[in-house]
């Protein structure tokens, strides 16, 4: 199955608005206890999350996984840092690229692939305000062109 495909659980729509994504990486997530059950129920929020590399290991910070309702004492801290499972070669590549000014690691979506929770991480460069405006104008023009084509086909 290609990278980024599977049953999508949560997406970070704001990430593509705020960042220009240059490259994506698929990573597994180290979960505790009832976290996978909450993920399968769709109780995940990627809104303010980000990834960072510490001591040669990738971690996902601020990803909110709600506590499982039937979990009682086995529940976890909802926003704890979770380790990402990446190949050493990918981590070394990310270390080099994130040290450049303006680049950061942004989680794009969480999905279930072959029964395992995965996260799609994007290497992104932050957009300036004028870049965002330019993208919105481009989308608007494309919509108008599509409408015109649709009208002409009727």
């Amino acid at each position: 199955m290609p990278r980024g495909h599977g049953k999508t659980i949560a997406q970070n729509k704001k990430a593509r608005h705020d960042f220009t994504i240059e490259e994506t990486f698929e990573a597994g997530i180290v979960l505790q206890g009832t976290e996978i059950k909450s993920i399968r129920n769709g109780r995940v929020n990627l809104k303010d999350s980000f990834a960072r590399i510490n001591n040669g290991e990738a971690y996902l910070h601020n990803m909110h996984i709600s506590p499982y309702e039937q979990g009682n004492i086995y529940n976890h801290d909802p926003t704890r840092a979770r380790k990402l499972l990446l190949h050493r070669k990918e981590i070394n590549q990310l270390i080099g690229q994130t040290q450049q000014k303006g680049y950061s690691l942004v989680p794009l979506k969480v999905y279930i692939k072959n029964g395992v929770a995965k996260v799609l991480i994007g290497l992104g460069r932050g957009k300036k305000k004028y870049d965002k405006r330019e993208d919105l104008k481009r989308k608007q023009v494309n919509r108008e062109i599509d409408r015109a084509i649709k009208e002409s086909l009727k």
Side-chain angles (χ1 to χ4, degrees), residues 36-62:
I36 188 65
K37 292 183 178 191
S38 291
I39 289 174
R40 287 196 173 120
N41 286 339
R43 315 261 301 152
V44 181
N45 187 353
L46 291 173
K47 188 175 181 186
D48 296 325
S49 58
F50 60 96
R52 190 177 280 163
I53 298 176
N54 297 333
N55 299 326
E57 295 179 339
Y59 288 93
L60 187 60
H61 298 273
N62 288 347

Side-chain angles (χ1 to χ4, degrees), residues 6-60:
K7 182 184 176 202
T8 301
I9 305 298
Q11 277 191 314
N12 190 353
K13 295 176 183 173
K14 194 83 170 152
R16 295 206 186 263
H17 182 262
D18 292 338
F19 295 91
T20 303
I21 305 299
E22 296 183 0
E23 196 171 351
T24 60
F25 298 89
E26 181 181 72
I29 314 170
V30 176
L31 300 172
Q32 289 181 349
T34 58
E35 287 179 327
I36 188 65
K37 292 183 178 191
S38 291
I39 289 174
R40 287 196 173 120
N41 286 339
R43 315 261 301 152
V44 181
N45 187 353
L46 291 173
K47 188 175 181 186
D48 296 325
S49 58
F50 60 96
R52 190 177 280 163
I53 298 176
N54 297 333
N55 299 326
E57 295 179 339
Y59 288 93
L60 187 60

Side-chain angles (χ1 to χ4, degrees), residues 25 53 86 90-99 105 123:
F25 298 89
I53 298 176
L86 290 163
E90 292 174 331
I91 291 174
N92 291 339
Q93 181 182 356
L94 287 173
I95 288 171
Q97 291 175 332
T98 55
Q99 287 177 347
L105 293 174
L123 178 69

